[in-house]
Amino acid sequence: MEAGGAGNGSNGAAQTKGSGGDGSTKTPPPLPPCCVKARAAAPESEAKCHATVVSGWFTEPRSHCGKASKVQYYNNPMWPGEAHSLKVEKILYQGKSPYQEVLVFESSTYGKVLVLDGIVQLTDKDECAYQEMITHLPLCSIPSPKKVLVIGGGDGGVLREISRHSSVESIDICEIDQLVIDICKDFFPHLSVGFEDPRVQLHVGDAVEFLRNAPEGTYDAIIVDSSDPIGPAQELVEKPFFETIARALRPGGVLCNQAESMWLHTHLIQDMLSICRETFKGSVRYAWTSVPTYPSGVIGFLLCAKEGPPVNFLTPINPIEKVEGATKAGREIRFYNSEMHRAAFVLPTFAKRELEAYCAST
Amino acid sequence: MEAGGAGNGSNGAAQTKGSGGDGSTKTPPPLPPCCVKARAAAPESEAKCHATVVSGWFTEPRSHCGKASKVQYYNNPMWPGEAHSLKVEKILYQGKSPYQEVLVFESSTYGKVLVLDGIVQLTDKDECAYQEMITHLPLCSIPSPKKVLVIGGGDGGVLREISRHSSVESIDICEIDQLVIDICKDFFPHLSVGFEDPRVQLHVGDAVEFLRNAPEGTYDAIIVDSSDPIGPAQELVEKPFFETIARALRPGGVLCNQAESMWLHTHLIQDMLSICRETFKGSVRYAWTSVPTYPSGVIGFLLCAKEGPPVNFLTPINPIEKVEGATKAGREIRFYNSEMHRAAFVLPTFAKRELEAYCAST
């Protein structure tokens, strides 16, 4: 859930385009309930304020500040009715870019924490689960990935994981917010180390624009390490965005997209699955993993293969244990392994039932 | 994490025995850090107070009340430094038994919530993950389970799950707190329905006492649906307790014990694995599942087989999909399935590394 390269703030390039802004004027199809909720609440989430630290605790998220009422202490449209709090040892950084507010603090239990616009993006303790899974699920599903694109991911964690793959020749990253990159170099060097790989080409800017300018069929894999689909980032879950991604992938190329929680956002996931099956035409699958500091303690991933050489996401064809140098000392893998890869696609009965129609394509 | 049958409060039968109280006076071995933490904090957790609902939100847990300071808002020795909050629509019940404080409220997002001594035990939305996994992991690992014992589990959820197994002839349950049973009949009928199975024999009392009086080698499976090992329930993670369990199991019989979070309590889990390997001598395994309203969003289970006919927990020998009537309408399974069973034993690399030495026995 890193800063969305396609705009994650109130003044970003993407915002001028608005939701679904690809020039299309046709009426959008009816939205499932959770999407409606996300949209309805968007103006509220734009009332920017610094993440709140009260009495030594950070609570995610507080939408109203300034004229903060004690009653509306927690209020996020993506996960209404619950909140997670972390004890703060020390605030390390508070700042504001043109796109978002940035907070870094040292927590008692999860190490350092990066917060953007009041939402926890990563913590030292559990970042491994997110960064490793969002990277190796796609890269271990295809043989010899060579050209990879990261959208968002300004903390560098996904880059760090991609660089374990010796077959990779070039890594483009398109992150809109230079401040996120700079702050992570200061406070999260074990993530931003990913930028030191000579294969990395950094593009600071709007990802939708970047994708439009990318030559067709360029990438073996694209990883979208985006923010939640509220406000400007809403377009990151809509058809035009996925079409731009599909265009930039080679036949049989793969996308891994952050895809929220199976406990909280089944309708949003159904919607994304349905759009992606139409768009990519290859295998489309939902996987999930445990990340304690994300809402409901899990995060999902949408894995999509473009029409072409078939991809079977369920079994890693390029197992990390056999990638030369991938697990060498100094860059220990903490969460992912080939068994976790397979297990990530196993769904609880309720999720299987709700997503089955959308998951049928293998 | 149901009320521990072996005592979960300040006035219970178990408390008079104290930690590890089986008459043994030898010095206990040095405790790993998280156990030390749990013990050191025990007196604090005994300062009983009602779970706090402030400004329409329940926050788990607040150890200090009465002279509550605003600063020490969240404080639980088992998961220091973090807290989870749920928005309260309506408080449905507040009461106190000789063992614990009981709170039931309607939340905005997770349905009704049962709270004991300030700790969320279950919610309508995610109870399925806990109840189904703690029950079917052991019962689907052995052919034709006949005699089953539940320790704790006063809400009835584990009973409801056991009754899906047509091979079962008798179900004993030993729950210390009659109030929990009564309250769940009123507010969680979809759980307490488990008590209606004619195979169920309810014993209200102390589980350690009950186990001592049980004829040796009685049970095919024992399920310990206990509270966290703080204060009196500490003995539920110590050797004498496991020895009493092992005595009550038939050769090749199985135990499934609530075993905390792989993210937060690795040392406690190592300790339990080590004790259980010594005690049971058959296969000993750790499994986990996603439960959003538990700390870190996951809960673990310790699966142990007593010496005798070998048990391979990793593959269900008695798959739920083939148990006659188990998945019939009206009692839909929401979380567990045979693929989830297998996936539950797949560990992230860090947990595998930390628990491997203790998990080696298959």
Side-chain angles (χ1 to χ4, degrees), chain B residues 2 4 43 80 86 99 162 172 180 184 196 214 290 323 334 342 346:
Chain B
E2 187 44 64
L86 292 172
Y99 307 107
I162 297 172
D172 283 323
V180 171
C184 291
E196 289 168 19
S290 156
V323 172
R334 290 177 56 207
R342 282 181 281 262
V346 175

Side-chain angles (χ1 to χ4, degrees), chain B residues 34 37-42 44-45 61 63 75-80 230 265:
Chain B
C34 61
K37 201 179 285 163
R39 283 203 175 168
E44 189 176 47
S45 72
S63 300
N75 192 9
N76 182 290
M78 281 299 287
W79 46 97
I230 307 168
H265 308 115

Side-chain angles (χ1 to χ4, degrees), chain B residues 154-175:
Chain B
D155 56 58
V158 171
L159 299 177
R160 176 193 69 196
E161 295 306 314
I162 297 172
S163 55
R164 297 185 194 275
H165 289 263
S166 49
S167 66
V168 169
E169 291 164 3
S170 76
I171 312 169
D172 283 323
I173 172 166
C174 186
E175 160 65 52

Side-chain angles (χ1 to χ4, degrees), chain A residues 82 260-266 269 286 288 295-298 348 350-351, chain B residues 109-110 124-130 289-292 297 334-335:
Chain A
E82 64 179 314
E260 305 299 339
S261 162
M262 64 187 178
W263 283 105
L264 304 175
H265 308 115
T266 333
I269 299 164
Y286 183 78
W288 65 281
S296 82
V298 302
F350 78 88
Chain B
T109 310
Y110 285 87
D124 282 340
K125 188 180 173 78
D126 64 5
E127 57 89 7
C128 57
Y130 179 75
T289 195
S290 156
V291 184
R334 290 177 56 207
F335 195 93

Side-chain angles (χ1 to χ4, degrees), chain A residues 231-247:
Chain A
Q234 171 71 32
E235 69 177 309
L236 300 191
V237 294
E238 290 177 347
K239 202 167 193 313
F241 176 71
F242 288 116
E243 284 169 347
T244 329
I245 293 268
R247 197 190 140 276

Side-chain angles (χ1 to χ4, degrees), chain B residues 125-152:
Chain B
K125 188 180 173 78
D126 64 5
E127 57 89 7
C128 57
Y130 179 75
Q131 316 283 0
E132 294 176 16
M133 294 297 273
I134 200 172
T135 304
H136 304 304
L137 286 176
L139 295 192
C140 294
S141 293
I142 53 173
S144 296
K146 286 187 181 58
K147 287 179 183 296
V148 185
L149 168 63
V150 181
I151 291 176

Side-chain angles (χ1 to χ4, degrees), chain A residues 111-161:
Chain A
K112 287 198 283 296
V113 182
L114 173 66
V115 181
L116 298 179
D117 280 343
I119 313 285
V120 170
Q121 301 296 313
L122 61 89
T123 80
D124 283 340
K125 189 180 172 80
D126 64 5
E127 57 90 7
C128 58
Y130 179 75
Q131 316 283 0
E132 295 177 15
M133 295 295 273
I134 199 173
T135 305
H136 304 305
L137 286 176
L139 295 192
C140 295
S141 292
I142 53 172
S144 296
K146 286 187 182 57
K147 287 178 183 297
V148 185
L149 168 63
V150 181
I151 291 175
D155 56 60
V158 171
L159 299 177
R160 177 193 69 197
E161 294 306 313

Side-chain angles (χ1 to χ4, degrees), chain A residues 57-254:
Chain A
W57 287 77
F58 164 81
T59 294
E60 175 194 62
R62 181 185 189 174
S63 301
H64 293 108
C65 74
K67 47 176 185 175
S69 75
K70 281 177 191 169
V71 180
Q72 287 179 304
Y73 209 73
Y74 320 115
N75 192 9
N76 182 291
M78 280 300 286
W79 45 99
E82 64 179 314
H84 188 239
S85 308
L86 293 172
K87 193 167 189 321
V88 177
E89 291 298 314
K90 196 178 176 189
I91 293 176
L92 300 172
Y93 177 85
Q94 276 186 296
K96 194 170 175 162
S97 77
Y99 307 106
Q100 56 206 337
E101 294 195 336
V102 180
L103 168 71
V104 180
F105 67 86
E106 181 73 43
S107 70
S108 311
T109 309
Y110 284 87
K112 287 198 283 296
V113 182
L114 173 66
V115 181
L116 298 179
D117 280 343
I119 313 285
V120 170
Q121 301 296 313
L122 61 89
T123 80
D124 283 340
K125 189 180 172 80
D126 64 5
E127 57 90 7
C128 58
Y130 179 75
Q131 316 283 0
E132 295 177 15
M133 295 295 273
I134 199 173
T135 305
H136 304 305
L137 286 176
L139 295 192
C140 295
S141 292
I142 53 172
S144 296
K146 286 187 182 57
K147 287 178 183 297
V148 185
L149 168 63
V150 181
I151 291 175
D155 56 60
V158 171
L159 299 177
R160 177 193 69 197
E161 294 306 313
I162 296 172
S163 55
R164 297 185 195 275
H165 290 263
S166 49
S167 66
V168 169
E169 291 164 3
S170 75
I171 311 169
D172 284 322
I173 172 165
C174 186
E175 161 64 54
I176 204 166
D177 197 340
Q178 182 69 49
L179 183 63
V180 171
I181 301 169
D182 296 341
I183 286 305
C184 290
K185 285 190 175 157
D186 285 346
F187 297 105
F188 300 92
H190 57 292
L191 286 136
S192 68
V193 67
F195 282 101
E196 290 168 18
D197 191 307
R199 294 169 291 180
V200 170
Q201 275 280 355
L202 169 62
H203 310 268
V204 177
D206 177 59
V208 174
E209 205 53 40
F210 180 87
L211 277 167
R212 284 203 190 106
N213 296 329
E216 204 173 325
T218 303
Y219 296 104
D220 295 289
I222 297 177
I223 296 169
V224 180
D225 182 8
S226 71
S227 59
D228 296 307
I230 306 169
Q234 171 71 32
E235 69 177 309
L236 300 191
V237 294
E238 290 177 347
K239 202 167 193 313
F241 176 71
F242 288 116
E243 284 169 347
T244 329
I245 293 268
R247 197 190 140 276
L249 283 174
R250 65 147 169 92
V254 293

